[in-house]
Amino acid sequence: MNEMTPPKTERAAALKGLGSARKRVEDARFTQGKGNYVDDLKMPGMLFGDFVRSPYAHARIKSINADKAKAIPGVVAVLTADDLRPLNLHWMPTLAGDKQMVLADGKVLFQGQEVAFVVAEDRYVAADAVELVEVDYEELPVVVDPFKAQASDAPVLREDLEGNMEGAHGPRRHHNHIFTWEQGDKDATEAVVGSADVVAEEMVYYHRTHPCPLETCGCVASMDKVNGKLTVWGTFQAPHAVRTVASLISGIAEHNIRIISPDIGGGFGNKVGVYPGYICSIVASIVTGVPVKWVEDRMENLMATAFARDYWMQGKIAATKDGRITGLWCHVTADHGAFDACADPTKFPAGFFNICTGSYDIPTAYLAVDGVYTNKAPGGVAYRCSFRVTEAAYFIERMIEILALKLDMDPAELRAKNFIRKEQFPYQSALGWEYDSGDYQTAWDKALKAVDYEGLRREQAERVDAFKRGETRKLIGIGLTHFTEIVGAGPVKNCDILGLGMFDSCEIRIHPTGSAIARLGTISQGQGHATTFAQILASEIGIPADDITVEEGDTDTAPYGLGTYGSRSTPVAGAATAMAGRKIRAKAQMIAAYLLEVHDDDVEWDVDRFVVKGAPQRFKTMKEIAFASYNQAIPGVEPGLEAVSYYDPPNMTYPFGAYVCVMEVDVDTGEADIRKFYALDDCGTRINPMIIEGQVHGGLTEALAIAMGQEIAYDELGNVKTGTLMDFFVPTSWETPYYTTDHTVTPSPHHPIGAKGVGESPNVGGVPAFSNAVHDAFRTFGLTHTHMPHDHWRIWKIAHDLGLHG
Ligand code: MCN
Ligand code: CUM
């Protein structure tokens, strides 16, 4: 038997476990068009809902007349706030402790706001009826500027809060003010900034944009009146949380609610929040007794569901003459739109923005964030953001560049000089985080060497000379970034959403023949969980990944979890998976020892089996053990082989990376051509290098979009100017450059397999890299800072303002 046993490496490779570039199991159905998305659901008698939306950003509603709409054949109902009021569902709580109108109650506060919900026998009839609902609006003054919103004579946006100066996050100091959030030491920081050799000061704006997933948001609600059970299929990134919230809001017992997230065509944070469409569909199904589907169109998605960013970040960074950073001061004005519907952990109204000291050992820091209401769509945390970490990384990586200019120092050198050093981990940051692990200098050196940084700087200088001689109209920009992220919310002691601690879970069942199913509290939206979670397990329990089904997203079967966002699946559910796997292995060890007639301690694990110590010819494979667990009566051991783990991580994980973007900028057309993009990511132990590369490519492309053109822009009347894909930039293969990916591996010391999250890293690091490249191209011509997005017109304008057009 012994001579038949393949060598360890062969057996390990057959498992396709940790580190294997296993192909995505999901792709068999996706590439054949056989995915099952919400809009693919068809049920007998199903009705369709569609919204009447406000054309105005701020207006009083004097009357709504739905008579003409109701007269069209096929229209079943038209719901307004008056219909929802008796159920107390005309407003709903938001994740940020605010409340939001489900249907306009007396007034509207942003363009595209939901005013009435038409329910009809088909989608087209519903759309026709929407056009016939007559709403009489009286326009009110509009505020789209968060600074003007705080003027003493600014119009009162939230009349429902009038006189209520106590908000969900402490006192409000103005009728359009939501909260102030402070971190760090104000006095000490102001003293450092006040007496420093050098201080760089700037207003860094990270404009409003939108995650714009290919599949928009939607759901099908089905109330089974016979069994009293409500089932909702939806594009939900956190199905269990939706179930609990639905139960609390509707009064339906939680066991009578089943939430199912089917295949999701991209989430990017857009599908974390709760939208009026969900509530209206549920109510409509309860009222009509048949399933009701609501799926928004592209314009509705861009205009009304969770936007991203819109942070005005005023910064001061202080340093010694030789470039040692001594302090960081930051004040953020956060434009939250009409309702604070930001999806942050409860205690963090500005997410994890206090990671804004970045990769640097900054001894003193202070941060204050003021949330403000305006006449824009609500939302706020979405789009590969790691809870505002993308804003934080953009802020610090711009401030570093601006400081380098002021010091007349190379920005690569300035960064290296201030890195948190390897031996300082675990590192306590001035704004309250404990970074788990990192080796920034190694990553930085590797990146600079890979792109030949010195050579690039020489070439850049030569180009500037040639430009000045009139031989070329193109400049070279070198965009550097070293980012540190914080992902894996999170420790239950300080992270919850609506009171639900942010643990996650995994439940494993091994079948008699040695294959398995694992169910998790997370939900993939394209990240490849069915592929990668099986790999974690394969290495833990010695069953090939190909023999393990991973199932997520059905609250009737999956263990309770908080869902997928904030790159938390690997740090939290991935840890739960490893821990559940270890429980399986512990039981398997007892079974193996019994079968081999030795003591438990006399067997040891060997890839896919337990072997008797010192007698390698005597072993039991996991397949044999699995069968034995179902057919042997083992004293003191329960039949079957199952385990469940609920994992509360002791800390978050701190992935990091070094990105370099090399750009050719045409001074006369404003075109920016990306010549090279190098991305080194360190996400600790790598589960599947191919999936990581895919995550990085996708996130970089979104970063390219954001930095180079994509925005949700409003005019002064609050009209959304970028509500279609004609105006809202989504890169195609044409605009997407070639990316070079690389890595270092610094494991997380507290994660069972040492893995950190990676899904959002490329956005967090990518945006500053692209933006810094644009800035760097004009560095020698006196550009300090300019706002994103850097579309052709804006780049042309920089050149123009710098007098480069002669
Ligand atoms: N991974 C790995 N090794 C690591 C870390 C991660 O192989 N050390 C793999 C994981 O196993 C997983 C993937 O990379 O298959 C992403 O894992 P993780 O970083 O834990 O992130 P999540 O699974 O929690 O995904 C969320 C993250 C977020 S918040 C946004 S926003 C985003 C992103 O993922 N949305 C996405 N990537 C996306 N990719 C797609 N295709 N679609 C989205 O909507
Ligand atoms: Cu902030 S976007 Mo992701 O956390 O779903």
Side-chain angles (χ1 to χ4, degrees):
M1 228 169 145
N2 185 29
E3 52 278 12
M4 311 260 304
T5 302
K8 255 189 211 300
T9 47
E10 218 169 277
R11 285 183 285 129
L15 295 177
K16 298 190 196 161
L18 281 189
S20 159
R22 180 182 187 223
K23 283 199 177 151
R24 284 164 43 106
V25 296
E26 296 91 338
D27 289 344
R29 67 176 187 280
F30 290 153
T31 54
Q32 295 178 63
K34 301 263 171 62
N36 181 34
Y37 300 92
V38 166
D39 210 14
D40 292 323
L41 263 171
K42 292 178 182 68
M43 300 174 79
M46 186 169 75
L47 301 174
F48 298 83
D50 196 5
F51 278 112
V52 176
R53 292 178 182 273
S54 171
Y56 298 110
H58 196 195
R60 207 163 296 291
I61 293 185
K62 289 161 69 179
S63 65
I64 301 176
N65 183 343
D67 292 348
K68 284 185 191 154
K70 283 181 186 160
I72 311 187
V75 173
V76 177
V78 179
L79 300 178
T80 65
D82 288 340
D83 301 306
L84 299 181
R85 196 184 318 273
L87 306 165
N88 204 23
L89 288 174
H90 54 316
W91 288 73
M92 62 179 182
T94 70
L95 294 175
D98 195 359
K99 55 183 181 147
Q100 174 178 352
M101 290 179 209
V102 174
L103 290 171
D105 183 20
K107 71 185 220 168
V108 286
L109 286 159
F110 65 93
Q111 189 181 56
Q113 187 179 331
E114 300 80 359
V115 174
F117 191 66
V118 175
V119 184
E121 282 165 10
D122 86 37
R123 178 171 292 187
Y124 303 96
V125 171
D128 287 347
V130 161
E131 299 294 320
L132 295 178
V133 175
E134 294 165 333
V135 186
D136 192 6
Y137 296 98
E138 178 193 315
E139 286 184 69
L140 295 169
V142 172
V143 191
V144 289
D145 178 327
F147 298 99
K148 290 184 186 157
Q150 298 175 79
S152 55
D153 60 347
V156 177
L157 303 187
R158 293 288 299 277
E159 287 164 4
D160 60 296
L161 297 177
E162 238 181 328
N164 179 1
M165 296 315 279
E166 197 54 42
H169 307 286
R172 309 193 309 133
R173 49 171 174 65
H174 180 275
H175 51 261
N176 293 328
H177 179 247
I178 311 171
F179 63 82
T180 299
W181 187 59
E182 283 181 286
Q183 295 285 297
D185 189 333
K186 184 170 195 264
D187 294 340
T189 307
E190 287 177 354
V192 167
V193 170
S195 63
D197 295 350
V198 182
V199 178
E201 186 168 354
E202 193 55 64
M203 171 64 93
V204 178
Y205 179 46
Y206 197 146
H207 59 291
R208 181 176 278 237
T209 181
H210 195 283
C212 191
L214 277 186
E215 180 204 32
T216 58
C217 300
C219 70
V220 174
S222 177
M223 184 71 203
D224 173 349
K225 291 204 171 171
V226 177
N227 297 307
K229 184 140 184 167
L230 170 70
T231 305
V232 186
W233 292 261
T235 52
F236 306 134
Q237 288 182 233
H240 281 99
V242 170
R243 186 185 72 190
T244 302
V245 173
S247 174
L248 292 173
I249 295 181
S250 67
I252 301 171
E254 200 164 353
H255 70 285
N256 278 332
I257 301 177
R258 179 179 186 186
I259 304 293
I260 301 173
S261 294
D263 283 332
I264 294 182
F268 309 112
N270 194 209
K271 295 164 180 175
V272 176
V274 173
Y275 299 122
Y278 306 157
I279 310 265
C280 289
S281 305
I282 292 171
V283 171
S285 179
I286 292 173
V287 171
T288 61
V290 290
V292 176
K293 179 188 277 188
W294 166 74
V295 176
E296 59 181 9
D297 66 22
R298 182 57 60 192
M299 267 183 94
E300 295 180 290
N301 179 254
L302 287 172
M303 286 173 66
T305 56
F307 74 92
R309 329 296 190 237
D310 219 342
Y311 256 34
W312 292 89
M313 304 173 285
Q314 179 74 41
K316 296 178 204 172
I317 186 164
T320 59
K321 277 194 287 295
D322 58 350
R324 178 76 209 141
I325 301 170
T326 51
L328 180 72
W329 181 98
C330 180
H331 179 267
V332 180
T333 300
D335 186 340
H336 285 247
F339 307 97
D340 188 3
C342 225
D344 289 309
T346 308
K347 292 179 193 124
F348 299 89
F352 301 154
F353 188 86
N354 55 327
I355 192 81
C356 66
T357 50
S359 307
Y360 312 104
D361 182 17
I362 303 181
T364 321
Y366 169 70
L367 162 70
V369 183
D370 278 305
V372 179
Y373 290 123
T374 59
N375 290 119
K376 297 182 189 171
V381 164
Y383 210 175
R384 271 189 143 121
C385 66
S386 316
F387 297 120
R388 302 284 190 192
V389 177
T390 179
E391 287 92 331
Y394 184 64
F395 169 72
I396 185 67
E397 290 302 300
R398 282 299 307 137
M399 291 308 292
I400 288 277
E401 292 281 316
I402 295 163
L403 178 63
L405 268 178
K406 194 138 197 182
L407 289 163
D408 195 22
M409 200 169 157
D410 182 292
E413 189 192 331
L414 177 61
R415 283 180 174 83
K417 188 162 207 148
N418 290 283
F419 280 148
I420 299 161
R421 293 183 316 280
K422 194 177 164 185
E423 59 276 12
Q424 284 175 282
F425 292 93
Y427 172 80
Q428 189 65 46
S429 84
L431 292 177
W433 297 117
E434 188 189 287
Y435 293 26
D436 61 346
S437 65
D439 182 355
Y440 300 164
Q441 190 66 50
T442 300
W444 196 235
D445 292 343
K446 191 172 182 186
L448 297 186
K449 189 160 177 249
V451 300
D452 181 19
Y453 181 65
E454 298 292 320
L456 281 173
R457 282 290 177 208
R458 272 196 303 278
E459 187 191 348
Q460 182 187 42
E462 283 158 18
R463 184 68 69 86
V464 167
D465 291 341
F467 180 84
K468 286 178 177 162
R469 291 195 300 268
E471 292 163 15
T472 178
R473 297 296 287 164
K474 285 190 180 178
L475 298 170
I476 296 177
I478 305 165
L480 303 174
T481 288
H482 192 290
F483 65 93
T484 295
E485 259 198 290
I486 166 169
V487 301
V492 170
K493 63 178 185 290
N494 53 20
C495 287
D496 72 275
I497 283 190
L498 293 173
L500 302 164
M502 295 178 77
F503 60 83
D504 228 290
S505 58
C506 174
E507 182 194 287
I508 305 168
R509 292 185 188 171
I510 314 287
H511 309 312
T513 53
S515 67
I517 181 166
R519 294 190 168 104
L520 291 94
T522 44
I523 173 74
S524 188
Q525 308 127 42
Q527 294 91 344
H529 289 179
T531 306
T532 51
F533 283 118
Q535 293 183 247
I536 297 179
L537 265 185
S539 289
E540 291 291 340
I541 63 176
I543 289 177
D546 289 345
D547 295 345
I548 303 170
T549 297
V550 172
E551 201 182 272
E552 301 175 308
D554 181 342
T555 58
D556 264 12
T557 55
Y560 204 105
L562 269 284
T564 291
Y565 44 84
S567 304
R568 64 186 297 279
S569 304
T570 301
V572 193
T577 304
M579 297 310 270
R582 286 171 197 184
K583 288 184 188 177
I584 296 274
R585 212 160 91 181
K587 184 169 175 182
Q589 180 164 3
M590 294 195 274
I591 297 169
Y594 173 81
L595 298 173
L596 292 161
E597 297 177 341
V598 295
H599 190 269
D600 288 359
D601 296 339
D602 293 334
V603 293
E604 62 188 358
W605 180 246
D606 175 27
V607 182
D608 56 357
R609 62 195 64 199
F610 277 101
V611 179
V612 176
K613 285 179 187 165
Q617 73 285 1
R618 297 192 58 213
F619 60 80
K620 288 289 167 191
T621 64
M622 272 306 282
K623 222 176 158 71
E624 292 170 315
I625 294 167
F627 197 72
S629 76
Y630 285 89
N631 88 336
Q632 298 263 337
I634 304 172
V637 179
E638 287 179 9
L641 196 49
E642 302 190 2
V644 56
S645 167
Y646 283 77
Y647 188 80
D648 175 11
N651 190 4
M652 314 236 202
T653 66
Y654 295 74
F656 60 93
Y659 290 2
V660 184
C661 171
V662 184
M663 206 179 257
E664 300 252 354
V665 178
D666 188 317
V667 167
D668 296 320
T669 63
E671 281 171 288
D673 195 21
I674 288 128
R675 196 168 91 182
K676 184 194 282 270
F677 198 104
Y678 170 90
L680 178 153
D681 274 282
D682 191 320
C683 55
T685 303
R686 290 151 53 86
I687 300 159
N688 181 327
M690 187 186 64
I691 290 220
I692 292 173
E693 187 181 32
Q695 287 290 303
V696 172
H697 282 201
L700 287 178
T701 304
E702 290 181 320
L704 167 83
I706 295 168
M708 305 308 289
Q710 188 177 79
E711 68 176 317
I712 295 291
Y714 287 82
D715 70 11
E716 66 283 3
L717 292 176
N719 295 306
V720 179
K721 298 195 288 182
T722 51
T724 75
L725 296 185
M726 290 297 286
D727 318 288
F728 186 82
F729 173 44
V730 176
T732 63
S733 59
W734 182 255
E735 293 91 358
T736 305
Y738 181 82
Y739 302 119
T740 305
T741 55
D742 204 347
H743 64 277
T744 53
V745 176
T746 312
S748 167
H750 60 79
H751 188 281
I753 60 166
K756 303 181 179 185
V758 79
E760 294 164 306
S761 300
N763 193 319
V764 170
V767 173
F770 287 111
S771 180
N772 282 345
V774 173
H775 285 94
D776 187 70
F778 297 103
R779 179 182 160 98
T780 47
F781 299 95
L783 176 69
T784 310
H785 181 75
T786 184
H787 295 321
M788 290 191 292
H790 307 299
D791 53 22
H792 298 172
W793 147 249
R794 286 182 174 98
I795 292 180
W796 181 90
K797 185 79 168 44
I798 298 170
H800 195 75
D801 292 348
L802 292 173
L804 301 183
H805 292 152

